[in-house]
Amino acid sequence: EAQVTQNPRYLITVTGKKLTVTCSQNMNHEYMSWYRQDPGLGLRQIYYSMNVEVTDKGDVPEGYKVSRKEKRNFPLILESPSPNQTSLYFCASSLGQVSYEQYFGPGTRLTVT
Amino acid sequence: SQQGEEDPQALSIQEGENATMNCSYKTSINNLQWYRQNSGRGLVHLILIRSNEREKHSGRLRVTLDTSKKSSSLLITASRAADTASYFCATDAWNFNKFYFGSGTKLNVKP
C-alpha cells in the first residue's frame, strides 16, 4: 500500500532534549516536506527536499534540521526543543514539487514541556 | 506570510445543501490545490487546478480559479455528513519549490 509513515505518532518531551521524528515513503517520490500545524495558522512548511542530498528551508525552519540521505526517508530533527515547538507535525511527499498532489503522513503530535 | 486565506473560517449546513468556500492568495501561482483534513488527521488531496484553467470538476466537487482576482472557490454539491472536515487551499506561489497552505475552512454538515 502506497503510504507515508511517521514515528512516533505522539511524543511528550522536555525542553532541550534532542529528538528525531522519522518519515518514510514507499512511492519513490522525489519531493518530501515537513509541515507544522497550529490552531488558526494552518500548515506552515518547515523544510523541503527535492531529492537526495537536496534540502531547503520553508517558511518556519528555525529550530529544526533535516537530512535526506535516502530517497525514502526524511527525518525531522529538533536539536534543542522548546515549548513553542509544541505542535502537530506532518510529513508529505509528492512525485515533483510543483504540479503534483502531496501525500501526507498521519501526523506526529509533539508536546514540549 | 500566508499565501492562501480561506473564507469563511467555519461553515455549518444541512445535509443535501451545497457548501462553498473561498480561497485568496497573494502572488502568481502555477497551480492551486484543495485538501481535506478530518479532525487532526493527515490531509487528503481533493483536486488540483492549473493557472491556465478556469474550472475543474471531480465528482461532487467543483473548483474555479480566477487568476485576475487571485482567488479560487470550492463547491461541494449535495453535501453529506461524511463531508464534515476542514478544507485547505494550497499554492506553490512565486517560489515554485515551496507550498503555502491557508488556515482552512471548517465545514460541519448536519444530518
mmCIF file with all atom_site columns, all heavy atoms in Angstrom, chain B residues 38-56:
data_model
loop_
_atom_site.group_PDB
_atom_site.id
_atom_site.type_symbol
_atom_site.label_atom_id
_atom_site.label_alt_id
_atom_site.label_comp_id
_atom_site.label_asym_id
_atom_site.label_entity_id
_atom_site.label_seq_id
_atom_site.pdbx_PDB_ins_code
_atom_site.Cartn_x
_atom_site.Cartn_y
_atom_site.Cartn_z
_atom_site.occupancy
_atom_site.B_iso_or_equiv
_atom_site.pdbx_formal_charge
_atom_site.auth_seq_id
_atom_site.auth_comp_id
_atom_site.auth_asym_id
_atom_site.auth_atom_id
_atom_site.pdbx_PDB_model_num
ATOM 1   N N   . ASN B 1 38 ? -9.632  15.483 8.104   1.00 0.00 ? 38 ASN B N   1
ATOM 2   C CA  . ASN B 1 38 ? -10.582 15.040 9.115   1.00 0.00 ? 38 ASN B CA  1
ATOM 3   C C   . ASN B 1 38 ? -9.912  15.111 10.478  1.00 0.00 ? 38 ASN B C   1
ATOM 4   O O   . ASN B 1 38 ? -8.915  14.433 10.707  1.00 0.00 ? 38 ASN B O   1
ATOM 5   C CB  . ASN B 1 38 ? -11.050 13.605 8.840   1.00 0.00 ? 38 ASN B CB  1
ATOM 6   C CG  . ASN B 1 38 ? -11.951 13.520 7.628   1.00 0.00 ? 38 ASN B CG  1
ATOM 7   O OD1 . ASN B 1 38 ? -11.479 13.355 6.509   1.00 0.00 ? 38 ASN B OD1 1
ATOM 8   N ND2 . ASN B 1 38 ? -13.224 13.664 7.845   1.00 0.00 ? 38 ASN B ND2 1
ATOM 9   N N   . SER B 1 39 ? -10.444 15.967 11.324  1.00 0.00 ? 39 SER B N   1
ATOM 10  C CA  . SER B 1 39 ? -10.120 16.060 12.740  1.00 0.00 ? 39 SER B CA  1
ATOM 11  C C   . SER B 1 39 ? -8.696  15.645 13.132  1.00 0.00 ? 39 SER B C   1
ATOM 12  O O   . SER B 1 39 ? -8.508  14.583 13.725  1.00 0.00 ? 39 SER B O   1
ATOM 13  C CB  . SER B 1 39 ? -11.133 15.220 13.518  1.00 0.00 ? 39 SER B CB  1
ATOM 14  O OG  . SER B 1 39 ? -11.016 15.484 14.896  1.00 0.00 ? 39 SER B OG  1
ATOM 15  N N   . GLY B 1 40 ? -7.698  16.459 12.779  1.00 0.00 ? 40 GLY B N   1
ATOM 16  C CA  . GLY B 1 40 ? -6.344  16.221 13.238  1.00 0.00 ? 40 GLY B CA  1
ATOM 17  C C   . GLY B 1 40 ? -5.605  15.120 12.513  1.00 0.00 ? 40 GLY B C   1
ATOM 18  O O   . GLY B 1 40 ? -4.476  14.785 12.883  1.00 0.00 ? 40 GLY B O   1
ATOM 19  N N   . ARG B 1 41 ? -6.195  14.573 11.483  1.00 0.00 ? 41 ARG B N   1
ATOM 20  C CA  . ARG B 1 41 ? -5.513  13.531 10.702  1.00 0.00 ? 41 ARG B CA  1
ATOM 21  C C   . ARG B 1 41 ? -4.744  14.162 9.547   1.00 0.00 ? 41 ARG B C   1
ATOM 22  O O   . ARG B 1 41 ? -4.753  15.368 9.354   1.00 0.00 ? 41 ARG B O   1
ATOM 23  C CB  . ARG B 1 41 ? -6.540  12.533 10.175  1.00 0.00 ? 41 ARG B CB  1
ATOM 24  C CG  . ARG B 1 41 ? -7.266  11.795 11.280  1.00 0.00 ? 41 ARG B CG  1
ATOM 25  C CD  . ARG B 1 41 ? -8.083  10.674 10.714  1.00 0.00 ? 41 ARG B CD  1
ATOM 26  N NE  . ARG B 1 41 ? -8.710  9.886  11.775  1.00 0.00 ? 41 ARG B NE  1
ATOM 27  C CZ  . ARG B 1 41 ? -9.420  8.804  11.544  1.00 0.00 ? 41 ARG B CZ  1
ATOM 28  N NH1 . ARG B 1 41 ? -9.598  8.369  10.315  1.00 0.00 ? 41 ARG B NH1 1
ATOM 29  N NH2 . ARG B 1 41 ? -9.950  8.144  12.544  1.00 0.00 ? 41 ARG B NH2 1
ATOM 30  N N   . GLY B 1 42 ? -4.068  13.308 8.792   1.00 0.00 ? 42 GLY B N   1
ATOM 31  C CA  . GLY B 1 42 ? -3.331  13.797 7.631   1.00 0.00 ? 42 GLY B CA  1
ATOM 32  C C   . GLY B 1 42 ? -4.247  14.343 6.567   1.00 0.00 ? 42 GLY B C   1
ATOM 33  O O   . GLY B 1 42 ? -5.405  13.958 6.459   1.00 0.00 ? 42 GLY B O   1
ATOM 34  N N   . LEU B 1 43 ? -3.724  15.269 5.771   1.00 0.00 ? 43 LEU B N   1
ATOM 35  C CA  . LEU B 1 43 ? -4.523  15.868 4.716   1.00 0.00 ? 43 LEU B CA  1
ATOM 36  C C   . LEU B 1 43 ? -4.647  14.929 3.529   1.00 0.00 ? 43 LEU B C   1
ATOM 37  O O   . LEU B 1 43 ? -3.732  14.170 3.225   1.00 0.00 ? 43 LEU B O   1
ATOM 38  C CB  . LEU B 1 43 ? -3.886  17.188 4.259   1.00 0.00 ? 43 LEU B CB  1
ATOM 39  C CG  . LEU B 1 43 ? -4.163  18.401 5.137   1.00 0.00 ? 43 LEU B CG  1
ATOM 40  C CD1 . LEU B 1 43 ? -3.398  18.318 6.447   1.00 0.00 ? 43 LEU B CD1 1
ATOM 41  C CD2 . LEU B 1 43 ? -3.808  19.690 4.398   1.00 0.00 ? 43 LEU B CD2 1
ATOM 42  N N   . VAL B 1 44 ? -5.774  15.041 2.856   1.00 0.00 ? 44 VAL B N   1
ATOM 43  C CA  . VAL B 1 44 ? -6.043  14.230 1.671   1.00 0.00 ? 44 VAL B CA  1
ATOM 44  C C   . VAL B 1 44 ? -6.284  15.160 0.491   1.00 0.00 ? 44 VAL B C   1
ATOM 45  O O   . VAL B 1 44 ? -7.081  16.098 0.587   1.00 0.00 ? 44 VAL B O   1
ATOM 46  C CB  . VAL B 1 44 ? -7.279  13.330 1.890   1.00 0.00 ? 44 VAL B CB  1
ATOM 47  C CG1 . VAL B 1 44 ? -7.633  12.595 0.600   1.00 0.00 ? 44 VAL B CG1 1
ATOM 48  C CG2 . VAL B 1 44 ? -7.025  12.339 3.017   1.00 0.00 ? 44 VAL B CG2 1
ATOM 49  N N   . HIS B 1 45 ? -5.587  14.901 -0.590  1.00 0.00 ? 45 HIS B N   1
ATOM 50  C CA  . HIS B 1 45 ? -5.711  15.731 -1.780  1.00 0.00 ? 45 HIS B CA  1
ATOM 51  C C   . HIS B 1 45 ? -7.077  15.547 -2.429  1.00 0.00 ? 45 HIS B C   1
ATOM 52  O O   . HIS B 1 45 ? -7.558  14.421 -2.590  1.00 0.00 ? 45 HIS B O   1
ATOM 53  C CB  . HIS B 1 45 ? -4.614  15.351 -2.777  1.00 0.00 ? 45 HIS B CB  1
ATOM 54  C CG  . HIS B 1 45 ? -4.630  16.168 -4.019  1.00 0.00 ? 45 HIS B CG  1
ATOM 55  N ND1 . HIS B 1 45 ? -5.242  15.758 -5.183  1.00 0.00 ? 45 HIS B ND1 1
ATOM 56  C CD2 . HIS B 1 45 ? -4.098  17.385 -4.279  1.00 0.00 ? 45 HIS B CD2 1
ATOM 57  C CE1 . HIS B 1 45 ? -5.091  16.667 -6.092  1.00 0.00 ? 45 HIS B CE1 1
ATOM 58  N NE2 . HIS B 1 45 ? -4.396  17.673 -5.590  1.00 0.00 ? 45 HIS B NE2 1
ATOM 59  N N   . LEU B 1 46 ? -7.714  16.665 -2.802  1.00 0.00 ? 46 LEU B N   1
ATOM 60  C CA  . LEU B 1 46 ? -9.013  16.612 -3.455  1.00 0.00 ? 46 LEU B CA  1
ATOM 61  C C   . LEU B 1 46 ? -8.904  16.909 -4.948  1.00 0.00 ? 46 LEU B C   1
ATOM 62  O O   . LEU B 1 46 ? -9.407  16.156 -5.783  1.00 0.00 ? 46 LEU B O   1
ATOM 63  C CB  . LEU B 1 46 ? -9.968  17.624 -2.816  1.00 0.00 ? 46 LEU B CB  1
ATOM 64  C CG  . LEU B 1 46 ? -10.360 17.368 -1.355  1.00 0.00 ? 46 LEU B CG  1
ATOM 65  C CD1 . LEU B 1 46 ? -11.221 18.507 -0.838  1.00 0.00 ? 46 LEU B CD1 1
ATOM 66  C CD2 . LEU B 1 46 ? -11.060 16.033 -1.215  1.00 0.00 ? 46 LEU B CD2 1
ATOM 67  N N   . ILE B 1 47 ? -8.277  18.023 -5.272  1.00 0.00 ? 47 ILE B N   1
ATOM 68  C CA  . ILE B 1 47 ? -8.290  18.463 -6.662  1.00 0.00 ? 47 ILE B CA  1
ATOM 69  C C   . ILE B 1 47 ? -7.181  19.486 -6.896  1.00 0.00 ? 47 ILE B C   1
ATOM 70  O O   . ILE B 1 47 ? -6.817  20.231 -5.981  1.00 0.00 ? 47 ILE B O   1
ATOM 71  C CB  . ILE B 1 47 ? -9.679  19.037 -7.020  1.00 0.00 ? 47 ILE B CB  1
ATOM 72  C CG1 . ILE B 1 47 ? -9.889  19.124 -8.527  1.00 0.00 ? 47 ILE B CG1 1
ATOM 73  C CG2 . ILE B 1 47 ? -9.944  20.349 -6.317  1.00 0.00 ? 47 ILE B CG2 1
ATOM 74  C CD1 . ILE B 1 47 ? -11.352 19.311 -8.919  1.00 0.00 ? 47 ILE B CD1 1
ATOM 75  N N   . LEU B 1 48 ? -6.647  19.499 -8.095  1.00 0.00 ? 48 LEU B N   1
ATOM 76  C CA  . LEU B 1 48 ? -5.619  20.460 -8.486  1.00 0.00 ? 48 LEU B CA  1
ATOM 77  C C   . LEU B 1 48 ? -6.117  21.204 -9.715  1.00 0.00 ? 48 LEU B C   1
ATOM 78  O O   . LEU B 1 48 ? -6.627  20.587 -10.652 1.00 0.00 ? 48 LEU B O   1
ATOM 79  C CB  . LEU B 1 48 ? -4.314  19.726 -8.800  1.00 0.00 ? 48 LEU B CB  1
ATOM 80  C CG  . LEU B 1 48 ? -3.089  20.528 -9.242  1.00 0.00 ? 48 LEU B CG  1
ATOM 81  C CD1 . LEU B 1 48 ? -1.815  19.791 -8.854  1.00 0.00 ? 48 LEU B CD1 1
ATOM 82  C CD2 . LEU B 1 48 ? -3.088  20.808 -10.732 1.00 0.00 ? 48 LEU B CD2 1
ATOM 83  N N   . ILE B 1 49 ? -5.957  22.506 -9.715  1.00 0.00 ? 49 ILE B N   1
ATOM 84  C CA  . ILE B 1 49 ? -6.323  23.313 -10.879 1.00 0.00 ? 49 ILE B CA  1
ATOM 85  C C   . ILE B 1 49 ? -5.114  24.144 -11.275 1.00 0.00 ? 49 ILE B C   1
ATOM 86  O O   . ILE B 1 49 ? -4.461  24.767 -10.431 1.00 0.00 ? 49 ILE B O   1
ATOM 87  C CB  . ILE B 1 49 ? -7.572  24.173 -10.595 1.00 0.00 ? 49 ILE B CB  1
ATOM 88  C CG1 . ILE B 1 49 ? -8.020  24.901 -11.867 1.00 0.00 ? 49 ILE B CG1 1
ATOM 89  C CG2 . ILE B 1 49 ? -7.370  25.134 -9.428  1.00 0.00 ? 49 ILE B CG2 1
ATOM 90  C CD1 . ILE B 1 49 ? -9.425  25.484 -11.768 1.00 0.00 ? 49 ILE B CD1 1
ATOM 91  N N   . ARG B 1 50 ? -4.787  24.130 -12.544 1.00 0.00 ? 50 ARG B N   1
ATOM 92  C CA  . ARG B 1 50 ? -3.618  24.849 -13.025 1.00 0.00 ? 50 ARG B CA  1
ATOM 93  C C   . ARG B 1 50 ? -3.981  26.312 -13.309 1.00 0.00 ? 50 ARG B C   1
ATOM 94  O O   . ARG B 1 50 ? -5.136  26.653 -13.510 1.00 0.00 ? 50 ARG B O   1
ATOM 95  C CB  . ARG B 1 50 ? -3.070  24.181 -14.285 1.00 0.00 ? 50 ARG B CB  1
ATOM 96  C CG  . ARG B 1 50 ? -2.710  22.736 -14.062 1.00 0.00 ? 50 ARG B CG  1
ATOM 97  C CD  . ARG B 1 50 ? -1.949  22.128 -15.226 1.00 0.00 ? 50 ARG B CD  1
ATOM 98  N NE  . ARG B 1 50 ? -1.879  20.677 -15.109 1.00 0.00 ? 50 ARG B NE  1
ATOM 99  C CZ  . ARG B 1 50 ? -1.094  20.034 -14.253 1.00 0.00 ? 50 ARG B CZ  1
ATOM 100 N NH1 . ARG B 1 50 ? -0.318  20.712 -13.444 1.00 0.00 ? 50 ARG B NH1 1
ATOM 101 N NH2 . ARG B 1 50 ? -1.095  18.720 -14.210 1.00 0.00 ? 50 ARG B NH2 1
ATOM 102 N N   . SER B 1 51 ? -2.968  27.138 -13.375 1.00 0.00 ? 51 SER B N   1
ATOM 103 C CA  . SER B 1 51 ? -3.213  28.576 -13.525 1.00 0.00 ? 51 SER B CA  1
ATOM 104 C C   . SER B 1 51 ? -3.870  28.925 -14.858 1.00 0.00 ? 51 SER B C   1
ATOM 105 O O   . SER B 1 51 ? -4.491  29.977 -14.989 1.00 0.00 ? 51 SER B O   1
ATOM 106 C CB  . SER B 1 51 ? -1.899  29.355 -13.372 1.00 0.00 ? 51 SER B CB  1
ATOM 107 O OG  . SER B 1 51 ? -0.967  28.938 -14.338 1.00 0.00 ? 51 SER B OG  1
ATOM 108 N N   . ASN B 1 52 ? -3.757  28.036 -15.862 1.00 0.00 ? 52 ASN B N   1
ATOM 109 C CA  . ASN B 1 52 ? -4.392  28.312 -17.159 1.00 0.00 ? 52 ASN B CA  1
ATOM 110 C C   . ASN B 1 52 ? -5.780  27.669 -17.273 1.00 0.00 ? 52 ASN B C   1
ATOM 111 O O   . ASN B 1 52 ? -6.397  27.696 -18.334 1.00 0.00 ? 52 ASN B O   1
ATOM 112 C CB  . ASN B 1 52 ? -3.506  27.846 -18.314 1.00 0.00 ? 52 ASN B CB  1
ATOM 113 C CG  . ASN B 1 52 ? -3.242  26.357 -18.274 1.00 0.00 ? 52 ASN B CG  1
ATOM 114 O OD1 . ASN B 1 52 ? -3.641  25.672 -17.347 1.00 0.00 ? 52 ASN B OD1 1
ATOM 115 N ND2 . ASN B 1 52 ? -2.564  25.856 -19.289 1.00 0.00 ? 52 ASN B ND2 1
ATOM 116 N N   . GLU B 1 53 ? -6.258  27.103 -16.179 1.00 0.00 ? 53 GLU B N   1
ATOM 117 C CA  . GLU B 1 53 ? -7.601  26.539 -16.152 1.00 0.00 ? 53 GLU B CA  1
ATOM 118 C C   . GLU B 1 53 ? -8.527  27.456 -15.363 1.00 0.00 ? 53 GLU B C   1
ATOM 119 O O   . GLU B 1 53 ? -8.086  28.119 -14.421 1.00 0.00 ? 53 GLU B O   1
ATOM 120 C CB  . GLU B 1 53 ? -7.590  25.142 -15.521 1.00 0.00 ? 53 GLU B CB  1
ATOM 121 C CG  . GLU B 1 53 ? -6.763  24.132 -16.315 1.00 0.00 ? 53 GLU B CG  1
ATOM 122 C CD  . GLU B 1 53 ? -6.646  22.784 -15.609 1.00 0.00 ? 53 GLU B CD  1
ATOM 123 O OE1 . GLU B 1 53 ? -6.347  22.772 -14.396 1.00 0.00 ? 53 GLU B OE1 1
ATOM 124 O OE2 . GLU B 1 53 ? -6.866  21.758 -16.278 1.00 0.00 ? 53 GLU B OE2 1
ATOM 125 N N   . ARG B 1 54 ? -9.794  27.442 -15.704 1.00 0.00 ? 54 ARG B N   1
ATOM 126 C CA  . ARG B 1 54 ? -10.746 28.311 -15.010 1.00 0.00 ? 54 ARG B CA  1
ATOM 127 C C   . ARG B 1 54 ? -11.705 27.518 -14.135 1.00 0.00 ? 54 ARG B C   1
ATOM 128 O O   . ARG B 1 54 ? -12.237 28.040 -13.152 1.00 0.00 ? 54 ARG B O   1
ATOM 129 C CB  . ARG B 1 54 ? -11.534 29.131 -16.029 1.00 0.00 ? 54 ARG B CB  1
ATOM 130 C CG  . ARG B 1 54 ? -10.702 30.164 -16.725 1.00 0.00 ? 54 ARG B CG  1
ATOM 131 C CD  . ARG B 1 54 ? -10.177 31.209 -15.739 1.00 0.00 ? 54 ARG B CD  1
ATOM 132 N NE  . ARG B 1 54 ? -9.113  32.016 -16.311 1.00 0.00 ? 54 ARG B NE  1
ATOM 133 C CZ  . ARG B 1 54 ? -7.812  31.825 -16.043 1.00 0.00 ? 54 ARG B CZ  1
ATOM 134 N NH1 . ARG B 1 54 ? -7.427  30.845 -15.246 1.00 0.00 ? 54 ARG B NH1 1
ATOM 135 N NH2 . ARG B 1 54 ? -6.917  32.607 -16.592 1.00 0.00 ? 54 ARG B NH2 1
ATOM 136 N N   . GLU B 1 55 ? -11.948 26.278 -14.524 1.00 0.00 ? 55 GLU B N   1
ATOM 137 C CA  . GLU B 1 55 ? -12.897 25.468 -13.762 1.00 0.00 ? 55 GLU B CA  1
ATOM 138 C C   . GLU B 1 55 ? -12.519 24.003 -13.904 1.00 0.00 ? 55 GLU B C   1
ATOM 139 O O   . GLU B 1 55 ? -12.020 23.574 -14.959 1.00 0.00 ? 55 GLU B O   1
ATOM 140 C CB  . GLU B 1 55 ? -14.309 25.701 -14.327 1.00 0.00 ? 55 GLU B CB  1
ATOM 141 C CG  . GLU B 1 55 ? -15.431 25.081 -13.518 1.00 0.00 ? 55 GLU B CG  1
ATOM 142 C CD  . GLU B 1 55 ? -16.793 25.551 -13.979 1.00 0.00 ? 55 GLU B CD  1
ATOM 143 O OE1 . GLU B 1 55 ? -16.987 26.766 -14.157 1.00 0.00 ? 55 GLU B OE1 1
ATOM 144 O OE2 . GLU B 1 55 ? -17.665 24.676 -14.169 1.00 0.00 ? 55 GLU B OE2 1
ATOM 145 N N   . LYS B 1 56 ? -12.790 23.252 -12.827 1.00 0.00 ? 56 LYS B N   1
ATOM 146 C CA  . LYS B 1 56 ? -12.495 21.828 -12.864 1.00 0.00 ? 56 LYS B CA  1
ATOM 147 C C   . LYS B 1 56 ? -13.511 21.092 -11.989 1.00 0.00 ? 56 LYS B C   1
ATOM 148 O O   . LYS B 1 56 ? -13.938 21.620 -10.955 1.00 0.00 ? 56 LYS B O   1
ATOM 149 C CB  . LYS B 1 56 ? -11.084 21.579 -12.361 1.00 0.00 ? 56 LYS B CB  1
ATOM 150 C CG  . LYS B 1 56 ? -10.481 20.288 -12.845 1.00 0.00 ? 56 LYS B CG  1
ATOM 151 C CD  . LYS B 1 56 ? -8.976  20.319 -12.685 1.00 0.00 ? 56 LYS B CD  1
ATOM 152 C CE  . LYS B 1 56 ? -8.369  19.050 -13.240 1.00 0.00 ? 56 LYS B CE  1
ATOM 153 N NZ  . LYS B 1 56 ? -6.906  19.040 -13.099 1.00 0.00 ? 56 LYS B NZ  1
#
